[in-house]
Amino acid sequence: MAQANVELVLALRETASRLKSGVHYAWGNHGSCNCGNLLQVVTKLSKEEIIRYAQTGTGEWTELAEEYCSITDAPVSLLIHKLEQLGLTPTDVHNIEYLEDREVLDNLPGGFRWLKRNIKEDVIVYMETFAGMLEEKLAKDIDISSLFENPAKVPGNTIELVNA
């Protein structure tokens, strides 16, 4: 499973939110499919720009991720590299595109069920569930006691402790 991190959680949540709000979705289109919409969020590229980059490789996102070579500097490798930087593996890319990660499916609201890769509502629930699972992993990794030992180092902390 993907490496849990805040950037990936935020990207999955923003992608799901954009899909809910009506952004263009078409599973057969590199720029507006499951991974294409995630890449729009991560790269700030348009669906048309993503299509141009993706067409420098051969196949769907699954094949592009498996054939990715970090040395080539081909434009499609830039897109795959962005997904890799988020903590995704080629298997994760495949699972996002086909909605197949069994762990995510087991954690869907209402329990396990198979989702359809080309149904926008299924993509939304998959991405939201995936993000929630990654958030849980992150929460388990946080040592809350260390935050109380030195509250001045907590980002955004504006509370000043006063000795009583």
Side-chain angles (χ1 to χ4, degrees), residues 38-154:
L38 179 59
L39 278 165
Q40 286 182 49
V41 168
V42 174
T43 64
K44 307 302 182 209
L45 294 171
S46 71
K47 65 183 187 315
E48 294 81 13
E49 290 169 315
I50 292 170
I51 289 169
R52 279 196 300 278
Y53 282 129
Q55 288 175 343
T56 64
T58 304
E60 298 300 325
W61 285 112
T62 297
E63 291 85 17
L64 293 172
E66 289 171 357
E67 295 174 10
Y68 165 64
C69 173
S70 60
I71 300 169
T72 63
D73 285 334
V76 73
S77 70
L78 297 174
L79 298 175
I80 298 300
H81 183 66
K82 285 304 254 184
L83 294 176
E84 186 180 76
Q85 283 180 316
L86 271 181
L88 296 171
T89 66
T91 300
D92 296 319
V93 172
H94 170 88
N95 288 333
I96 289 170
E97 196 59 29
Y98 289 89
L99 309 180
E100 290 184 341
D101 187 298
R102 186 62 191 244
E103 190 177 350
V104 175
L105 297 174
D106 284 340
N107 284 282
L108 292 172
F112 174 83
R113 66 185 175 282
W114 292 109
L115 300 175
K116 295 190 177 175
R117 66 180 185 225
N118 59 346
I119 304 295
K120 181 168 56 169
E121 292 74 22
D122 284 359
V123 178
I124 292 166
V125 73
Y126 186 93
M127 289 197 180
E128 288 175 340
T129 302
F130 192 15
M133 290 172 55
L134 294 171
E135 283 176 346
E136 286 179 24
K137 284 184 179 185
L138 285 171
K140 287 178 185 174
D141 291 341
I142 294 173
D143 178 12
I144 249 184
S145 64
S146 67
L147 298 177
F148 292 105
E149 290 170 9
N150 193 350
K153 290 190 175 184
V154 176

